[in-house]
Amino acid sequence: MRVIAFSTLRTFWLENRDAEQPLRAWYHEAKLANWDSPSKIKDYYRTASILKAGRVVFNISGNKFRLVCQINYPGQIAYVKFIGTHDQYDLIDAQTIDMKKER
């Protein structure tokens, strides 16, 4: 898998130091992965949430952080769409990465 963009992960862990090692581990695993379907991701990441249109939510560091990627399975590309704390994730719509509307 080609991961776009490593810089997004790095920027996040520079502000959240306890995220660095888990995100580096995820990045290394993703680079070596050959995910050709959502089920391949679930085989390795049991807690990942598969969304519509190729979106996947990864739980990082025991669910302390959430990573949302758009996966292009044929192209073997994982686009990082969002990385944040669990609380920050609760404020977005993972399908669009827009802020949720007030209820």
Side-chain angles (χ1 to χ4, degrees), residues 7 11 17 26 29 31 40-44 46 49 53 59 67 71 80 85 87 92 97 103:
S7 62
T11 298
R17 287 299 190 180
W26 178 88
E29 291 165 357
K31 278 183 54 173
K40 291 282 187 168
I41 293 174
K42 289 293 278 186
D43 286 346
Y44 196 79
R46 298 262 183 225
S49 298
N59 298 315
L67 172 63
I71 308 294
V80 174
T85 65
D87 289 341
I92 64 155
I97 312 301
R103 296 182 183 167

Side-chain angles (χ1 to χ4, degrees), residues 3 6 9-14 16-32 45 60-61 65 67 83:
V3 178
F6 178 79
L9 302 177
R10 184 177 58 241
T11 298
F12 182 77
W13 79 54
L14 288 174
N16 300 272
R17 287 299 190 180
D18 52 341
E20 182 174 2
Q21 290 309 316
L23 285 174
R24 281 185 182 273
W26 178 88
Y27 177 78
H28 179 71
E29 291 165 357
K31 278 183 54 173
L32 297 175
Y45 292 99
I60 305 294
S61 190
F65 305 108
L67 172 63
I83 179 65

Side-chain angles (χ1 to χ4, degrees), residues 78-98:
Y79 298 94
V80 174
K81 296 294 187 179
F82 171 85
I83 179 65
T85 65
H86 197 275
D87 289 341
Q88 290 167 332
Y89 173 82
D90 287 342
L91 297 175
I92 64 155
D93 176 345
Q95 199 64 54
T96 63
I97 312 301
D98 289 332

Side-chain angles (χ1 to χ4, degrees), residues 45-59:
Y45 292 99
R46 298 262 183 225
T47 62
S49 298
I50 307 299
L51 306 179
K52 295 182 281 184
R55 292 278 170 113
V56 179
V57 180
F58 295 93
N59 298 315

